[in-house]
Amino acid sequence: MSRKIRNILFIMYDQLRFDYLSCAGHPWLETPHMDALAARGVRFSRCYVQSPVCGASRMSYYTGRYVHSHGAAWNNFPLKVGEQTIGDHLRKLGMQSWLIGKTHMKVDEEGMERLGLARDSIVGARVSECGFDVYLRDDGLWSEGPDGFYDSRRSPYNEYLKTRGYPGDNPWHDFANSGVTEDGEMASGWFMKHADKPANIDNSDSETPWLTSRMIDFLADREGEDAPWLCHLSYIKPHWPYIVPAPYHEMYGRNQILPARKHPGERDDPHPVYGAFQANAIGQAFSRDEVREKVIPAYMGLIKQCDDELGRLMAHLQETGRLDDTMIVLTSDHGDYLGDHWLGEKDLFHEQSVKVPLIVYDPSPEADATRGTVCDELIESIDLAATFIEAAGGKVPAHVVEGRSLRPFLHGEAPENWRDFAVSEYDYSATPMAVKLGMEPRDARLFMITDKRWKLMHAEGGLRPMLFDLENDPEEYLDLGDSPDHAEIIDMMYERLARWARRMAQRTAISDDTINAMRGRSRRKGVLLGLYDGDEVDPELTVKYRGPAA
């Protein structure tokens, strides 16, 4: 039996709230397989994503860099062609990097063309797929409107459903994400009133079991191979549409819904950006009790389905011996408001949106002492890229990867000078809320700075900040952003934001180690500045500049 990390299984769920895991305190929704993984590893209770929107958050996970650095600040904003990703770093160390599921990444077509990179070349294919080799990619957004499909690429999941006998051009919607009304009509999952109906599909053919089966196929294909690998198993759910097949659709009832964490005072003269999101269609919908009573039991059912499929995968890993040499990481790209703070979706920086579950299982004996523990330090999602590099035996290139490895925490060690605040960013320039506020694209940006006590949101465009006291107001109801009594705290948080903004982030082509090695060597290459007659330096340095004239 090996107890050394050979492979890495990087599991991500889409829109999974941290407090909907039973190991994180949910009183009714049991997630025994996630709990079991937490018992094998370390659960990090304060992990913050670098953006609360899917694409930007994922690009930070994959690059190990802040949104401020990689620039893919919203869904379908391309990731710059020159950004290095997990796959680039790990391949240098002899580890493959594979994708199963979604990335929400849009390729930098203009950059590819400028550099002459063909998408059907090995390098071009990897640049087009966020650095991964693709076992299967499916972003799970096969919605269709009057102007066509949201995602115009090929849908492997739709192709699979057709082979299983589901008819039509888009069985993703017509079966996997729709139910059936009493009179036989389609009950689209886009209409939340249908969330209590079972999706019109066998559970084994729905999205989460389908991706689990593809992961098991991947493992079977790797049997007998020597090459170590990272596999990013990126689930589509519990992301909307909020509908789930039987039996999960009826496992939970309205009596098991956590009360909405909202306060009437949050609607009294709110921060302009906050007020704009409260007033959008999603915020208005989730402020209604009947919407929450339909959606949240389905959301819980989707999570229960995810947990059961994790159990199926863990059983397979156990049976095949892969638990003994595979690091397993479980996380999410962001959370979901579900009506908390009078909001839906995930667009701002309350805990429900920006804090995510993170469980890390390290099979090595050095991690035995920390199994089943909880780490309360401030973690950022970019720390995973650094962790993977170290787990693969490499040194983190700190001039490129801005996160820090979590291995000291896994091995019971205290890292030196761990961060005292975490950062998240949101570019809402493409949203109707930016239009409503009259914001130019360059001004429609938000920044969050949080420590264990205070959380500040800065809004560009001349707007005041928001501030919350997480110790005395853990539900984040009372905005202190215009409180004169908290001016010193606001100044402290702005100093932190300024310190973060001044970090070295763009000098990615040369490391500090290389620069240190260069110091003091230029004179041996013949560059002799500041000399009067040459006697000031070792004669060896001037030998090429002395002797008879030509």
Side-chain angles (χ1 to χ4, degrees):
M1 177 182 72
S2 171
R3 292 289 304 281
K4 180 181 178 182
I5 296 173
R6 179 175 179 77
N7 308 308
I8 301 171
L9 175 54
F10 176 23
I11 302 172
M12 182 180 290
Y13 299 97
D14 199 310
Q15 211 149 316
L16 174 62
R17 268 179 59 159
F18 75 98
D19 54 350
Y20 272 67
L21 280 62
S22 49
C23 62
H26 197 289
W28 296 296
L29 174 54
E30 294 185 356
T31 50
H33 303 294
M34 296 183 191
D35 295 356
L37 184 62
R40 290 178 178 269
V42 176
R43 182 170 71 84
F44 294 88
S45 64
R46 285 191 172 101
C47 178
Y48 291 94
V49 290
Q50 271 47 81
S51 177
V53 69
C54 312
S57 173
R58 287 169 176 271
M59 297 312 104
S60 285
Y61 271 109
Y62 302 152
T63 62
R65 289 164 60 74
Y66 292 104
V67 179
H68 205 233
S69 299
H70 63 65
W74 205 65
N75 295 340
N76 295 319
F77 283 21
L79 181 68
K80 292 177 292 190
V81 74
E83 287 292 332
Q84 296 184 61
T85 64
I86 292 170
D88 297 309
H89 296 298
L90 295 185
R91 270 187 286 273
K92 295 176 185 176
L93 302 171
M95 178 175 277
Q96 300 173 359
S97 184
W98 291 92
L99 167 69
I100 298 175
K102 73 182 297 181
T103 65
H104 225 297
M105 182 259 192
K106 183 177 176 63
V107 65
D108 179 4
E109 299 276 10
E110 184 177 332
M112 294 271 289
E113 182 177 354
R114 185 179 73 253
L115 297 176
L117 292 175
R119 294 187 68 165
D120 58 357
S121 67
I122 293 176
V123 173
R126 287 171 175 165
V127 170
S128 301
E129 298 291 355
C130 225
F132 295 107
D133 289 321
V134 175
Y135 190 80
L136 178 145
R137 177 176 175 179
D138 195 299
D139 281 5
L141 292 171
W142 307 111
S143 51
E144 185 178 13
D147 293 336
F149 278 92
Y150 173 83
D151 192 331
S152 59
R153 291 167 297 185
R154 153 185 176 271
S155 166
Y157 182 57
N158 264 336
E159 293 175 7
Y160 165 80
L161 290 179
K162 291 172 185 178
T163 67
R164 298 288 293 167
Y166 296 92
D169 293 332
N170 190 10
W172 171 87
H173 170 264
D174 299 349
F175 294 93
N177 286 284
S178 291
V180 180
T181 66
E182 291 182 357
D183 55 1
E185 293 296 309
M186 181 185 297
S188 173
W190 290 119
F191 307 136
M192 291 184 287
K193 70 176 184 178
H194 298 312
D196 60 344
K197 297 178 175 63
N200 188 22
I201 193 170
D202 288 339
N203 175 58
S204 61
D205 290 329
S206 61
E207 289 161 286
T208 301
W210 172 67
L211 284 173
T212 304
S213 295
R214 301 294 75 77
M215 180 69 213
I216 292 173
D217 292 343
F218 172 86
L219 292 168
D221 291 346
R222 306 276 88 70
E223 285 296 325
E225 287 192 2
D226 292 332
W229 48 261
L230 174 142
C231 185
H232 179 35
L233 173 58
S234 184
Y235 283 104
I236 295 164
K237 296 296 186 179
H239 194 278
W240 43 254
Y242 304 104
I243 192 166
V244 64
Y248 297 99
H249 76 292
E250 59 182 3
M251 285 187 175
Y252 305 97
R254 64 180 63 182
N255 62 315
Q256 294 168 302
I257 298 173
L258 292 172
R261 293 172 179 152
K262 59 185 181 182
H263 190 279
E266 293 180 287
R267 299 181 114 172
D268 295 337
D269 191 26
H271 185 283
V273 176
Y274 183 22
F277 278 93
Q278 285 181 341
N280 72 12
I282 303 166
Q284 291 292 306
F286 274 97
S287 295
R288 296 161 48 192
D289 289 340
E290 64 267 31
V291 171
R292 297 184 78 249
E293 290 171 357
K294 289 280 189 176
V295 165
I296 293 180
Y299 181 74
M300 294 167 71
L302 287 164
I303 294 173
K304 180 63 174 174
Q305 184 191 42
C306 289
D307 188 71
D308 286 349
E309 290 302 307
L310 176 65
R312 181 161 74 100
L313 178 57
M314 293 291 288
H316 180 82
L317 292 167
Q318 180 80 61
E319 292 166 5
T320 56
R322 289 280 71 84
L323 275 184
D324 297 329
D325 62 6
T326 302
M327 171 179 274
I328 302 175
V329 172
L330 182 151
T331 191
S332 176
D333 58 351
H334 52 73
D336 192 333
Y337 276 107
L338 296 172
D340 290 352
H341 301 287
W342 310 94
L343 296 168
E345 278 279 81
K346 64 272 181 171
D347 297 282
L348 298 178
F349 300 118
H350 298 91
E351 298 287 91
Q352 292 89 342
S353 173
V354 77
K355 191 165 81 171
V356 295
L358 176 60
I359 299 170
V360 182
Y361 160 68
D362 180 344
S364 64
E366 291 83 0
D368 286 348
T370 63
R371 302 198 189 284
T373 61
V374 177
C375 177
D376 294 325
E377 292 300 321
L378 293 168
I379 306 302
E380 296 182 327
S381 63
I382 54 177
D383 296 335
L384 288 182
T387 305
F388 297 153
I389 291 167
E390 279 201 356
K395 179 182 178 182
V396 178
H399 61 300
V400 179
V401 174
E402 298 186 275
R404 296 182 61 183
S405 173
L406 301 178
R407 292 194 86 195
F409 295 119
L410 302 176
H411 296 171
E413 302 166 1
E416 292 185 7
N417 303 317
W418 192 254
R419 68 173 60 91
D420 52 6
F421 60 88
V423 179
S424 190
E425 307 166 63
Y426 184 41
D427 182 330
Y428 65 101
S429 59
T431 71
M433 282 62 72
V435 177
K436 179 179 179 180
L437 293 168
M439 288 289 178
E440 291 297 322
R442 66 176 55 250
D443 290 329
R445 294 181 294 134
L446 309 174
F447 296 85
M448 178 204 81
I449 298 286
T450 188
D451 59 21
K452 295 180 180 180
R453 171 73 186 271
W454 303 101
K455 181 186 289 186
L456 178 131
M457 184 198 79
H458 165 72
E460 286 289 293
L463 301 177
R464 71 167 179 85
M466 296 177 73
L467 179 72
F468 295 101
D469 182 346
L470 301 178
E471 183 176 297
N472 295 307
D473 178 27
E475 300 295 350
E476 301 174 277
Y477 291 152
L478 181 59
D479 177 10
L480 303 169
D482 57 0
S483 166
D485 295 337
H486 293 83
E488 289 186 6
I489 298 298
I490 292 171
D491 287 345
M492 176 189 72
M493 300 301 274
Y494 268 114
E495 188 281 325
R496 288 172 166 177
L497 179 60
R499 189 194 333 158
W500 171 80
R502 294 193 303 268
R503 74 198 184 282
M504 178 64 71
Q506 300 303 323
R507 195 192 69 206
T508 59
I510 188 167
S511 70
D512 285 359
D513 289 345
T514 302
I515 292 172
N516 283 329
M518 291 166 56
R519 289 176 173 177
R521 296 180 59 189
S522 62
R523 287 184 167 183
R524 296 197 62 81
K525 293 290 186 179
V527 177
L528 302 174
L529 300 178
L531 303 186
Y532 177 67
D533 60 10
D535 292 340
E536 300 94 331
V537 297
D538 188 322
E540 180 189 8
L541 300 179
T542 63
V543 67
K544 294 292 184 180
Y545 304 123
R546 298 184 186 276

